[in-house]
Structure formats: C-alpha cells, structure tokens
Amino acid sequence: MPVITLCNHKGGTGKTTTTINLASAFGLLGYKTLVVDLDPQSFLSEMLRLPAVKEEHTTVAFFGLHESLADIPVVQSRHFDVIPSTPSLTKLLRHLTKPTDVFWMKENIENGHGYDFILIDTAASLSALTLNALVATDLVIIPVVPEFQSVVGAEQTWQTCLMVRKSLNPTLTEPRFLLTKVDARRRMHQRFQQYLRGQYPTNVLRQMIRTDTLLTERGKEGASVFDIDHQARGALDYANMAEEILHQLGIMPS
Ligand SMILES: Nc1ncnc2c1ncn2[C@@H]1O[C@H](COP(=O)(O)OP(=O)(O)OP(=O)(O)O)[C@@H](O)[C@H]1O
Ligand SMILES: [Mg+2]
C-alpha cells in the first residue's frame, strides 16, 4: 500500500500539519496508517506530545543494517502509529555519503509492514534523508502556500521529484501540489493559485486547505483538528483532501 511523502524545500508550508491531519483522516476512515517523522527538528513528534523512546526506536532505525520496518516498535497516537524523530538524525547525515545510502528507507519498507498507508514528514531541505524518503515513496504531496517563496520552493521540489523519478525511483508518480493556508480574500493568494493551476493543470489538488486557527493550536495533547472540532473548516478540508487522494490512487471509486 502507498507510501506518501510530504515535501517542500521551503519551510513553513504546512508539511507537518498536513502529515498529522491527513494521517488522522485516513485513520478515521479505518486505514491503518503509520507516520514517519524524518525531520531532525522533530516538530511532529513534539506536536503530538509523544513519549520519549530509545534512540534505536526512532527514525534512525531505518538506517540500520537488515532492519525491517516490522521490527521497529512504534508509538501509538490517536488515529495512527508513529516512528518519532531524533536530533541525532543530523549526526547520522554525515555518514550517509555513499550513492547507495539513498536506498535505506526503501529497502526497510519493502522488507514488510502491515500498514495501509505510510506518511513521511520531511524537513525543508534536500538532504540525504529527504532523498531516502523520495526514493521510498509512491506519491509526493507538495504543500504550498500561495505566496512567492513557497511557490518557488514547491517548483524546485517538483524538479527534484522528476530527477529522482528519472534516476532513482521510476515508479514515482507525478507529485501533487496542495494549496495550504489559503485566504481566498487575498489577491496574491488568488494569483498564485491561478498560476499553479495554469502551469500544472492535472497536478494541483482540487481541495485546498484554508487558514484555520485550530490548525495552529498547539495546546491540546497530541490532537489533530478532528479531535478539537470535526466540523471546523480545517477538518472538512483535510477530510475532503484525504478522499481526493484516495480517488486519485484508485483506492476509493469516484
Ligand atoms: N491551514 C493552516 N491555517 C493556519 N495555520 C496553519 C495552517 N497550516 C499550517 N499552519 C501553521 O503554520 C506553521 C507552519 O506549519 P507546519 O509546521 O505544518 O509547516 P512545515 O512545512 O512542516 O514547516 P517546516 O518546514 O518548518 O517543517 C505552523 O505554525 C502551523 O501551525
Ligand atoms: Mg515540519
């Protein structure tokens, strides 16, 4: 079943927020979902208030010899399981220097797991960690705020994905852009939205994620927007987006 990576080389575009809420939407639909926090800054793990785990049970485990995903203990969150991150991923990066070091995650995921979906949250940089995710993934979702810098980062990420497809992961489908933090009243947001839909007519998800203060809320213990208010617009947007992804992957009939 599909591995989905959330990626944009620009920071603050909603990668982590989308990972948590898309995983929750899948979980609520009954899909067994695993979230992998591949950002050494560990914001996802922090936002979910995950308990501390041994270092060998964090995402560094993906980069160990003969380790299969099924052997790595997971932390249970409300609607999905998580393999948390650790700042030690930064140290590990210094050792991922061989050309074959981009295949660690792919190999471990292929070794077997019982999940319907695996979602990988990446950092806002093109490191060997992010490359590992892109090589292991079936679909890349590029969250993009309809603003200049975010769109530039999104287009660079698109190019990276096409290069990865050409040389490292031929089964990678074309990425999908997800417009995030959208304020329909802002002219600039309308302009960049039109630009992206014009340039990439079949690759921008129809559903957008509007700004919603509940998506910025950090006080609630390990909560997704669905746990705070399942009628909130953030919840409606992510639920619709999850369905759109299921249709596009051919998992749910249109
Ligand atoms: N739809 C939204 N409405 C309002 N705020 C949002 C929305 N989506 C994300 N945010 C907020 O924007 C900020 C950045 O979001 P997030 O951390 O998900 O981005 P990111 O791409 O993972 O960032 P980084 O590159 O630093 O990892 C966070 O404070 C988050 O709460
Ligand atoms: Mg993030």
Side-chain angles (χ1 to χ4, degrees):
M1 284 292 259
V3 180
I4 300 177
T5 293
L6 286 298
C7 188
N8 186 333
H9 301 337
K10 172 83 179 86
T13 65
K15 297 179 285 292
T16 301
T17 306
T18 300
T19 307
I20 291 173
N21 289 290
L22 181 60
S24 298
F26 285 155
L28 285 163
L29 287 168
Y31 294 102
K32 196 165 155 47
T33 303
L34 174 70
V35 163
V36 178
D37 184 0
L38 200 58
D39 184 348
Q41 290 188 321
S42 312
F43 284 141
L44 182 140
S45 306
E46 274 172 31
M47 280 168 81
L48 293 173
R49 310 279 194 278
L50 299 182
V53 300
K54 288 186 194 162
E55 184 153 304
E56 62 261 39
H57 298 160
T58 64
T59 26
V60 295
F62 278 97
F63 302 89
L65 263 181
H66 308 303
E67 186 85 66
S68 139
L69 183 51
D71 298 331
I72 306 174
V74 294
V75 181
Q76 285 176 347
S77 190
R78 287 196 193 169
H79 309 295
F80 49 84
D81 293 342
V82 190
I83 299 183
S85 177
T86 163
S88 306
L89 279 175
T90 311
K91 252 187 284 162
L92 177 88
L93 255 179
R94 279 189 242 137
H95 301 284
L96 299 177
T97 50
K98 297 192 297 297
T100 49
D101 282 337
V102 297
F103 295 106
W104 284 107
M105 287 191 86
K106 182 182 173 68
E107 207 162 288
N108 283 322
I109 289 173
E110 278 177 352
N111 279 348
H113 61 83
Y115 290 99
D116 297 322
F117 283 101
I118 298 178
L119 267 57
I120 307 176
D121 183 25
T122 61
S125 62
L126 180 55
S127 66
L129 296 172
T130 303
L131 270 179
N132 259 274
L134 297 179
V135 168
T137 207
D138 300 294
L139 172 68
V140 177
I141 295 176
I142 307 177
V144 52
V145 186
E147 293 171 5
F148 181 71
Q149 291 191 2
S150 178
V151 169
V152 170
E155 292 194 292
Q156 285 170 349
T157 310
W158 167 274
Q159 291 299 338
T160 303
C161 292
L162 296 193
M163 279 192 309
V164 167
R165 183 166 72 165
K166 205 166 162 193
S167 50
L168 298 166
N169 181 5
T171 59
L172 186 63
T173 47
E174 280 191 349
R176 303 293 194 277
F177 295 100
L178 169 70
L179 289 153
T180 57
K181 301 204 230 180
V182 177
D183 181 347
R185 292 164 305 181
R186 291 179 63 185
R187 278 262 180 79
M188 186 176 60
H189 279 204
Q190 291 168 9
R191 274 213 309 275
F192 278 109
Q193 193 200 138
Q194 280 164 5
Y195 166 78
L196 277 175
R197 292 198 190 277
Q199 291 290 317
Y200 308 88
T202 55
N203 294 87
V204 182
L205 293 175
R206 188 178 33 76
Q207 183 65 45
M208 302 184 282
I209 312 299
R210 294 166 287 175
T211 48
D212 183 348
T213 48
L214 290 187
L215 290 168
T216 59
E217 195 155 337
R218 284 168 184 242
K220 305 267 195 273
E221 288 261 315
S224 71
V225 65
F226 297 98
D227 304 307
I228 305 168
D229 178 1
H230 68 280
Q231 299 281 26
R233 57 182 173 195
L236 300 175
D237 290 351
Y238 275 113
N240 288 336
M241 181 235 170
E243 283 202 13
E244 189 176 355
I245 294 289
L246 292 172
H247 291 315
Q248 295 215 358
L249 291 171
I251 293 169
M252 199 186 247
S254 311

mmCIF file of all heavy atoms in Angstrom, residues 34-61:
data_model
loop_
_atom_site.group_PDB
_atom_site.id
_atom_site.type_symbol
_atom_site.label_atom_id
_atom_site.label_comp_id
_atom_site.label_asym_id
_atom_site.label_seq_id
_atom_site.Cartn_x
_atom_site.Cartn_y
_atom_site.Cartn_z
ATOM 1 N N LEU A 34 0.761 4.650 9.276
ATOM 2 C CA LEU A 34 1.999 4.909 10.012
ATOM 3 C C LEU A 34 2.563 6.256 9.576
ATOM 4 O O LEU A 34 2.649 6.541 8.383
ATOM 5 C CB LEU A 34 3.045 3.814 9.719
ATOM 6 C CG LEU A 34 4.429 4.052 10.323
ATOM 7 C CD1 LEU A 34 4.402 3.910 11.857
ATOM 8 C CD2 LEU A 34 5.466 3.092 9.738
ATOM 9 N N VAL A 35 2.945 7.073 10.549
ATOM 10 C CA VAL A 35 3.592 8.352 10.264
ATOM 11 C C VAL A 35 5.069 8.235 10.647
ATOM 12 O O VAL A 35 5.404 7.749 11.730
ATOM 13 C CB VAL A 35 2.915 9.482 11.074
ATOM 14 C CG1 VAL A 35 3.794 10.721 11.121
ATOM 15 C CG2 VAL A 35 1.559 9.823 10.464
ATOM 16 N N VAL A 36 5.933 8.662 9.735
ATOM 17 C CA VAL A 36 7.377 8.633 9.999
ATOM 18 C C VAL A 36 7.868 10.079 10.051
ATOM 19 O O VAL A 36 7.707 10.828 9.081
ATOM 20 C CB VAL A 36 8.111 7.857 8.875
ATOM 21 C CG1 VAL A 36 9.613 7.880 9.119
ATOM 22 C CG2 VAL A 36 7.599 6.422 8.775
ATOM 23 N N ASP A 37 8.424 10.470 11.195
ATOM 24 C CA ASP A 37 8.944 11.833 11.339
ATOM 25 C C ASP A 37 10.414 11.826 10.940
ATOM 26 O O ASP A 37 11.276 11.362 11.688
ATOM 27 C CB ASP A 37 8.777 12.298 12.796
ATOM 28 C CG ASP A 37 9.207 13.757 12.985
ATOM 29 O OD1 ASP A 37 9.633 14.392 11.995
ATOM 30 O OD2 ASP A 37 9.110 14.255 14.121
ATOM 31 N N LEU A 38 10.697 12.361 9.750
ATOM 32 C CA LEU A 38 12.063 12.338 9.230
ATOM 33 C C LEU A 38 12.729 13.715 9.339
ATOM 34 O O LEU A 38 13.748 13.972 8.723
ATOM 35 C CB LEU A 38 12.020 11.868 7.758
ATOM 36 C CG LEU A 38 13.311 11.326 7.162
ATOM 37 C CD1 LEU A 38 13.855 10.147 7.946
ATOM 38 C CD2 LEU A 38 13.092 10.919 5.708
ATOM 39 N N ASP A 39 12.139 14.606 10.114
ATOM 40 C CA ASP A 39 12.716 15.937 10.299
ATOM 41 C C ASP A 39 13.507 15.935 11.607
ATOM 42 O O ASP A 39 12.924 15.748 12.677
ATOM 43 C CB ASP A 39 11.576 16.976 10.361
ATOM 44 C CG ASP A 39 12.106 18.398 10.466
ATOM 45 O OD1 ASP A 39 13.326 18.569 10.717
ATOM 46 O OD2 ASP A 39 11.311 19.339 10.303
ATOM 47 N N PRO A 40 14.854 16.151 11.523
ATOM 48 C CA PRO A 40 15.658 16.126 12.748
ATOM 49 C C PRO A 40 15.164 17.121 13.792
ATOM 50 O O PRO A 40 15.433 16.968 14.982
ATOM 51 C CB PRO A 40 17.058 16.522 12.265
ATOM 52 C CG PRO A 40 17.059 16.271 10.795
ATOM 53 C CD PRO A 40 15.646 16.423 10.317
ATOM 54 N N GLN A 41 14.435 18.149 13.377
ATOM 55 C CA GLN A 41 13.920 19.122 14.350
ATOM 56 C C GLN A 41 12.736 18.563 15.150
ATOM 57 O O GLN A 41 12.311 19.178 16.121
ATOM 58 C CB GLN A 41 13.520 20.411 13.646
ATOM 59 C CG GLN A 41 14.750 21.162 13.139
ATOM 60 C CD GLN A 41 14.417 22.540 12.614
ATOM 61 O OE1 GLN A 41 13.383 22.712 11.975
ATOM 62 N NE2 GLN A 41 15.268 23.500 12.865
ATOM 63 N N SER A 42 12.201 17.444 14.719
ATOM 64 C CA SER A 42 11.198 16.676 15.498
ATOM 65 C C SER A 42 9.930 17.449 15.859
ATOM 66 O O SER A 42 9.307 17.158 16.874
ATOM 67 C CB SER A 42 11.809 16.155 16.807
ATOM 68 O OG SER A 42 13.035 15.545 16.595
ATOM 69 N N PHE A 43 9.530 18.420 15.063
ATOM 70 C CA PHE A 43 8.330 19.196 15.420
ATOM 71 C C PHE A 43 7.082 18.313 15.456
ATOM 72 O O PHE A 43 6.224 18.484 16.308
ATOM 73 C CB PHE A 43 8.101 20.348 14.440
ATOM 74 C CG PHE A 43 9.040 21.501 14.672
ATOM 75 C CD1 PHE A 43 9.578 22.198 13.606
ATOM 76 C CD2 PHE A 43 9.388 21.903 15.958
ATOM 77 C CE1 PHE A 43 10.452 23.257 13.814
ATOM 78 C CE2 PHE A 43 10.257 22.951 16.184
ATOM 79 C CZ PHE A 43 10.797 23.639 15.106
ATOM 80 N N LEU A 44 7.001 17.372 14.524
ATOM 81 C CA LEU A 44 5.820 16.499 14.502
ATOM 82 C C LEU A 44 5.752 15.693 15.799
ATOM 83 O O LEU A 44 4.709 15.639 16.452
ATOM 84 C CB LEU A 44 5.876 15.577 13.278
ATOM 85 C CG LEU A 44 4.677 14.635 13.114
ATOM 86 C CD1 LEU A 44 4.267 14.542 11.651
ATOM 87 C CD2 LEU A 44 4.965 13.247 13.634
ATOM 88 N N SER A 45 6.880 15.106 16.181
ATOM 89 C CA SER A 45 6.905 14.314 17.413
ATOM 90 C C SER A 45 6.544 15.194 18.604
ATOM 91 O O SER A 45 5.851 14.769 19.529
ATOM 92 C CB SER A 45 8.284 13.688 17.607
ATOM 93 O OG SER A 45 8.645 12.948 16.451
ATOM 94 N N GLU A 46 7.021 16.448 18.581
ATOM 95 C CA GLU A 46 6.698 17.368 19.689
ATOM 96 C C GLU A 46 5.226 17.751 19.680
ATOM 97 O O GLU A 46 4.577 17.788 20.724
ATOM 98 C CB GLU A 46 7.539 18.637 19.589
ATOM 99 C CG GLU A 46 8.881 18.481 20.255
ATOM 100 C CD GLU A 46 9.782 19.660 19.988
ATOM 101 O OE1 GLU A 46 9.259 20.787 19.829
ATOM 102 O OE2 GLU A 46 11.009 19.446 19.919
ATOM 103 N N MET A 47 4.702 18.052 18.490
ATOM 104 C CA MET A 47 3.294 18.467 18.420
ATOM 105 C C MET A 47 2.368 17.368 18.917
ATOM 106 O O MET A 47 1.321 17.634 19.484
ATOM 107 C CB MET A 47 2.924 18.862 16.987
ATOM 108 C CG MET A 47 3.384 20.267 16.646
ATOM 109 S SD MET A 47 3.256 20.618 14.896
ATOM 110 C CE MET A 47 1.542 21.023 14.763
ATOM 111 N N LEU A 48 2.764 16.123 18.699
ATOM 112 C CA LEU A 48 1.930 15.002 19.145
ATOM 113 C C LEU A 48 2.191 14.638 20.606
ATOM 114 O O LEU A 48 1.561 13.731 21.134
ATOM 115 C CB LEU A 48 2.171 13.778 18.250
ATOM 116 C CG LEU A 48 1.716 13.914 16.804
ATOM 117 C CD1 LEU A 48 2.161 12.716 15.982
ATOM 118 C CD2 LEU A 48 0.193 14.071 16.729
ATOM 119 N N ARG A 49 3.129 15.371 21.234
ATOM 120 C CA ARG A 49 3.477 15.105 22.640
ATOM 121 C C ARG A 49 3.791 13.619 22.847
ATOM 122 O O ARG A 49 3.262 12.980 23.761
ATOM 123 C CB ARG A 49 2.337 15.477 23.591
ATOM 124 C CG ARG A 49 1.752 16.848 23.398
ATOM 125 C CD ARG A 49 2.609 17.909 24.071
ATOM 126 N NE ARG A 49 1.894 19.173 24.175
ATOM 127 C CZ ARG A 49 1.797 20.065 23.201
ATOM 128 N NH1 ARG A 49 2.349 19.829 22.028
ATOM 129 N NH2 ARG A 49 1.143 21.192 23.384
ATOM 130 N N LEU A 50 4.631 13.083 21.960
ATOM 131 C CA LEU A 50 4.940 11.654 22.059
ATOM 132 C C LEU A 50 5.857 11.399 23.250
ATOM 133 O O LEU A 50 6.702 12.224 23.568
ATOM 134 C CB LEU A 50 5.637 11.179 20.779
ATOM 135 C CG LEU A 50 4.849 11.314 19.486
ATOM 136 C CD1 LEU A 50 5.659 10.766 18.319
ATOM 137 C CD2 LEU A 50 3.519 10.564 19.583
ATOM 138 N N PRO A 51 5.684 10.250 23.904
ATOM 139 C CA PRO A 51 6.614 9.912 24.986
ATOM 140 C C PRO A 51 8.010 9.664 24.407
ATOM 141 O O PRO A 51 8.140 9.304 23.240
ATOM 142 C CB PRO A 51 6.020 8.612 25.554
ATOM 143 C CG PRO A 51 5.202 8.050 24.443
ATOM 144 C CD PRO A 51 4.700 9.200 23.638
ATOM 145 N N ALA A 52 9.036 9.878 25.240
ATOM 146 C CA ALA A 52 10.406 9.640 24.766
ATOM 147 C C ALA A 52 10.590 8.144 24.487
ATOM 148 O O ALA A 52 10.039 7.304 25.191
ATOM 149 C CB ALA A 52 11.389 10.096 25.834
ATOM 150 N N VAL A 53 11.326 7.848 23.422
ATOM 151 C CA VAL A 53 11.608 6.438 23.113
ATOM 152 C C VAL A 53 13.125 6.274 22.994
ATOM 153 O O VAL A 53 13.852 7.257 22.834
ATOM 154 C CB VAL A 53 10.928 5.969 21.799
ATOM 155 C CG1 VAL A 53 9.432 6.100 21.883
ATOM 156 C CG2 VAL A 53 11.468 6.725 20.584
ATOM 157 N N LYS A 54 13.579 5.043 23.083
ATOM 158 C CA LYS A 54 15.011 4.778 22.906
ATOM 159 C C LYS A 54 15.432 5.240 21.520
ATOM 160 O O LYS A 54 14.664 5.076 20.560
ATOM 161 C CB LYS A 54 15.284 3.272 22.994
ATOM 162 C CG LYS A 54 15.159 2.694 24.363
ATOM 163 C CD LYS A 54 15.615 1.244 24.239
ATOM 164 C CE LYS A 54 15.230 0.457 25.459
ATOM 165 N NZ LYS A 54 15.255 -0.973 25.230
ATOM 166 N N GLU A 55 16.671 5.710 21.430
ATOM 167 C CA GLU A 55 17.117 6.234 20.136
ATOM 168 C C GLU A 55 16.986 5.203 19.006
ATOM 169 O O GLU A 55 16.622 5.546 17.878
ATOM 170 C CB GLU A 55 18.564 6.697 20.244
ATOM 171 C CG GLU A 55 19.013 7.332 18.951
ATOM 172 C CD GLU A 55 20.099 8.336 19.154
ATOM 173 O OE1 GLU A 55 19.888 9.275 19.944
ATOM 174 O OE2 GLU A 55 21.153 8.154 18.527
ATOM 175 N N GLU A 56 17.240 3.936 19.335
ATOM 176 C CA GLU A 56 17.181 2.931 18.255
ATOM 177 C C GLU A 56 15.749 2.680 17.766
ATOM 178 O O GLU A 56 15.548 1.987 16.778
ATOM 179 C CB GLU A 56 17.873 1.616 18.657
ATOM 180 C CG GLU A 56 17.251 0.906 19.840
ATOM 181 C CD GLU A 56 18.003 1.169 21.143
ATOM 182 O OE1 GLU A 56 18.453 2.319 21.341
ATOM 183 O OE2 GLU A 56 18.111 0.233 21.950
ATOM 184 N N HIS A 57 14.761 3.252 18.480
ATOM 185 C CA HIS A 57 13.369 3.103 18.044
ATOM 186 C C HIS A 57 12.834 4.366 17.364
ATOM 187 O O HIS A 57 11.636 4.502 17.140
ATOM 188 C CB HIS A 57 12.475 2.726 19.235
ATOM 189 C CG HIS A 57 12.854 1.422 19.846
ATOM 190 N ND1 HIS A 57 12.494 1.060 21.117
ATOM 191 C CD2 HIS A 57 13.581 0.388 19.337
ATOM 192 C CE1 HIS A 57 12.989 -0.143 21.387
ATOM 193 N NE2 HIS A 57 13.649 -0.566 20.322
ATOM 194 N N THR A 58 13.735 5.296 17.068
ATOM 195 C CA THR A 58 13.348 6.485 16.311
ATOM 196 C C THR A 58 13.644 6.225 14.830
ATOM 197 O O THR A 58 14.047 5.110 14.459
ATOM 198 C CB THR A 58 14.161 7.718 16.767
ATOM 199 O OG1 THR A 58 15.541 7.477 16.452
ATOM 200 C CG2 THR A 58 13.997 7.960 18.262
ATOM 201 N N THR A 59 13.491 7.250 14.009
ATOM 202 C CA THR A 59 13.701 7.046 12.560
ATOM 203 C C THR A 59 15.138 6.661 12.214
ATOM 204 O O THR A 59 15.369 6.220 11.091
ATOM 205 C CB THR A 59 13.300 8.307 11.762
ATOM 206 O OG1 THR A 59 13.410 9.450 12.577
ATOM 207 C CG2 THR A 59 11.914 8.203 11.231
ATOM 208 N N VAL A 60 16.091 6.798 13.153
ATOM 209 C CA VAL A 60 17.448 6.317 12.833
ATOM 210 C C VAL A 60 17.413 4.822 12.520
ATOM 211 O O VAL A 60 18.272 4.318 11.808
ATOM 212 C CB VAL A 60 18.495 6.585 13.959
ATOM 213 C CG1 VAL A 60 18.739 8.056 14.184
ATOM 214 C CG2 VAL A 60 18.124 5.880 15.227
ATOM 215 N N ALA A 61 16.400 4.128 13.057
ATOM 216 C CA ALA A 61 16.307 2.679 12.837
ATOM 217 C C ALA A 61 16.221 2.323 11.353
ATOM 218 O O ALA A 61 16.651 1.243 10.933
ATOM 219 C CB ALA A 61 15.086 2.127 13.568
#
